Amino acid sequence: VLDRPPSPEHKRGANSTRSPGNSFMSYRAVKGMNDILPDEVARWHALERAFRETAELHGYAEIRTPVVEGTELFVRSIGEATDVVEKEMYTFSRHSESLTLRPEGTAGAARAYVEHKTHAKEPVSRWYYLGPMFRAERPQRGRYRQFYQAGCEIFGDPGPACDAEMIDMLVGMFRRLGIPDVVASVGSIGGAATRERYRETLRAFLQPKAGELSEHARTRLEQNPLRILDSKDPKDQAACQGAPNILEVLDDADRAHWDALRAHLDALGTPYVVDPLLVRGLDYYTRTLFELKSSAGELGAQNTLCGGGRYDDMIRELGGPAVPAIGFAMGLERILLALGPMELPKRPPCSVAPLGARAVSKALELGRALRDAGVTADVDGRGNSLKSMLRRADGLGARYCIVIGDAELDRGVVQLKDLAGHSQEELPLGDVVARVAHSGGAA
Ligand code: HAM
């Protein structure tokens, strides 16, 4: 129920058009949000299955949190001076509450961890999630306003061993998936104290060049100079050339963590590169940061497949105990773009083609019996000609078509057409299910 009467805007947004002099209205999906049609879904399932299997082998259990959270949760955890919070959130109000469609999954998982006092139930929690996220970014190939992430979070393990295990899991999963040219970049931004010191160092470095920065970067110089390192504006990128490297200002504890992480990765033989200027778009990170990119042709500019890092302060900032955390999320659309076409096994269905009114009931019964035996079955009850039913069976990629007419019904037989072998034989009605199931028709 809307709190106010719908305005014409409500009735007809930019996603629908009315041709002049014609009352016909055509509706389109919202810009940056895509339909995933049935013939594309098989690739999604294959990727989601690979992700779930990998995550579960590593001891992660699935969590499902709401798509909508209170706006303040994201402002607090992601950070006020980030692009996501400043301009990309879908925020609306209901029942005097400000709500936001989740732009990412970490804040909701952390909120759930605190709300359910999970720390009191188990020392370490490993959670994974899959689902749609929403950011009002400028849409382009690989960047959408509704997109799907698969992510993992570990609460209660300070690392660095689990940091290395997480990066190694991702490198291994991308390799098994067959994504070409993947590079894992790893860095550290230290803990809160190191970051505060680095912020000062960076501000002092950039201040004399303030005039050369973009207008947006100038506004960030005071509040969040680290974000300027992440700017895509060539003016900001030029100003950041030669900027001090955060790895040089790590304190002793941060340095020990960073050194141990690299030692674990080296011992595992996990390929990675150190990126001392790695900055991520969200403000909650501490110490370990990582991103996996691929230069696969289809991706173009949006080539970061996965990003993550440690966020040891978030649980406390959300009102929980001081529990360390690390996680990542990967963009499923981007991974599918990087993968290109996939060879997917298709279940060969069986089509049942009844000829005549009486045969339709028998065909429905046969369809049920086929499915009970594990065969994907389609019953063509449209009352069309045999030619048209065979065309439909072919279009479905069916291996078999069972033709059953009133005459066959009287004799208790069916015609079994092998569409691949272009042959046909007559079989007793009672034998056809077993025959199809045993010839590879069953799933
Ligand atoms: P993020 O880097 O903002 O991190 O997003 C992770 C991944 O989601 C990106 O690497 C990209 O593949 C995909 N992605 C982000 N925005 C879009 C978009 N507009 N369209 C398509 N794909 C997109 C996070 O979201 C953190 N929650 C990751 C994390 C988990 N850190 C700790 N735990």
Side-chain angles (χ1 to χ4, degrees):
V1 183
L2 297 165
D3 329 305
R4 48 200 153 95
S7 66
E9 273 304 283
H10 267 107
K11 283 201 250 170
R12 186 148 52 91
N15 59 333
S16 61
T17 51
R18 193 195 291 269
S19 349
N22 180 346
S23 63
F24 176 73
M25 180 107 88
S26 72
Y27 293 95
R28 304 182 64 84
V30 173
K31 188 173 173 203
M33 305 197 180
N34 301 305
D35 299 313
I36 302 162
L37 298 175
D39 60 354
E40 300 163 57
V41 160
R43 301 174 74 233
W44 285 77
H45 283 172
L47 175 57
E48 288 163 5
R49 220 171 15 246
F51 168 74
R52 281 176 194 281
E53 273 169 21
T54 304
E56 285 170 13
L57 272 175
H58 287 76
Y60 294 87
E62 184 174 353
I63 176 168
R64 299 187 184 195
T65 62
V67 170
V68 174
E69 299 274 356
T71 303
E72 196 46 37
L73 173 70
F74 299 118
V75 176
R76 187 71 203 261
S77 56
I78 295 172
E80 223 156 339
T82 56
D83 282 354
V84 171
V85 168
E86 271 178 1
K87 51 188 192 208
E88 293 170 2
M89 297 206 299
Y90 285 94
T91 297
F92 57 99
S93 102
R94 270 297 171 274
H95 311 118
S96 351
E97 240 188 312
S98 177
L99 303 174
T100 292
L101 292 182
R102 63 181 182 194
E104 55 107 54
T106 308
R111 194 259 318 129
Y113 180 85
V114 174
E115 183 172 337
H116 299 283
K117 300 193 171 47
T118 315
H119 72 279
K121 300 175 200 158
E122 54 193 27
V124 176
S125 305
R126 287 180 166 228
W127 289 355
Y128 78 83
Y129 52 85
L130 271 160
M133 308 292 161
F134 303 84
R135 296 184 194 176
E137 296 194 76
R138 196 168 48 77
Q140 65 180 88
R141 188 175 191 75
R143 186 163 69 192
Y144 310 102
R145 292 183 170 169
Q146 173 172 330
F147 58 97
Y148 287 79
Q149 279 188 345
C152 287
E153 314 289 350
I154 303 178
F155 299 102
D157 188 330
C162 74
D163 307 23
E165 188 201 73
M166 185 174 268
I167 294 165
D168 185 62
M169 164 175 121
L170 286 164
V171 170
M173 185 176 71
F174 285 3
R175 187 185 295 140
R176 279 192 304 281
L177 281 169
I179 302 176
D181 310 319
V182 175
V183 175
S185 305
V186 182
S188 173
I189 50 161
T194 294
R195 231 174 27 261
E196 195 39 55
R197 218 172 36 250
Y198 181 61
R199 214 172 270 144
E200 285 311 318
T201 316
L202 194 60
R203 197 177 286 130
F205 172 83
L206 289 172
Q207 198 76 58
K209 304 176 171 196
E212 300 159 34
L213 292 173
S214 70
E215 208 179 307
H216 191 235
R218 268 201 303 279
T219 64
R220 291 209 161 148
L221 198 50
E222 266 322 297
Q223 212 186 344
N224 200 353
L226 259 78
R227 284 273 76 81
I228 304 176
L229 292 175
D230 202 21
S231 167
K232 300 284 175 284
D233 191 308
K235 286 202 293 262
D236 300 337
Q237 290 180 345
C240 289
Q241 283 291 321
N245 174 343
I246 195 161
L247 296 177
E248 289 160 9
V249 299
L250 294 181
D251 67 20
D252 290 347
D254 292 337
R255 171 153 303 284
H257 192 279
W258 169 238
D259 290 344
L261 166 62
R262 281 176 303 135
H264 287 312
L265 289 172
D266 292 339
L268 282 168
T270 312
Y272 68 98
V273 295
V274 171
D275 182 352
L277 292 180
L278 187 60
V279 254
R280 309 245 317 108
L282 314 161
D283 267 357
Y284 47 63
Y285 292 110
T286 53
R287 294 191 167 168
T288 307
L289 294 178
F290 54 89
E291 278 185 353
L292 282 87
K293 296 189 193 231
S294 161
S295 47
E298 294 269 322
L299 276 171
Q302 302 304 313
N303 64 347
T304 307
L305 300 177
C306 170
R310 189 159 272 292
Y311 50 101
D312 289 341
D313 299 332
M314 192 195 291
I315 296 298
R316 195 168 27 80
E317 278 167 14
L318 295 181
V323 169
I326 183 168
F328 70 83
M330 53 198 204
L332 298 188
E333 288 85 351
R334 290 188 192 176
I335 293 174
L336 289 168
L337 279 173
L339 280 172
M342 279 160 131
E343 275 293 322
L344 293 169
K346 217 175 161 193
R347 287 208 296 179
C350 177
S351 200
V352 186
L355 282 166
R358 271 196 304 135
V360 173
S361 302
K362 192 45 92 183
L364 288 172
E365 212 178 284
L366 201 51
R368 186 172 60 190
L370 284 162
R371 295 176 196 117
D372 286 347
V375 178
T376 303
D378 166 78
V379 177
D380 191 341
R382 299 172 301 165
N384 281 7
S385 68
L386 179 61
K387 194 171 157 202
S388 153
M389 289 193 287
L390 288 173
R391 206 180 304 126
R392 165 162 158 175
D394 218 34
L396 289 172
R399 161 99 191 265
Y400 293 109
C401 184
I402 302 173
V403 181
I404 172 165
D406 287 347
E408 276 91 358
L409 205 56
D410 292 338
R411 290 172 37 232
V413 296
V414 296
Q415 303 296 331
L416 179 66
K417 279 183 180 291
D418 182 337
L419 298 175
H422 304 288
S423 59
Q424 174 171 331
E425 66 182 294
E426 188 171 286
L427 280 179
L429 184 58
D431 294 351
V432 71
V433 172
R435 171 64 185 281
V436 170
H438 291 146
S439 346

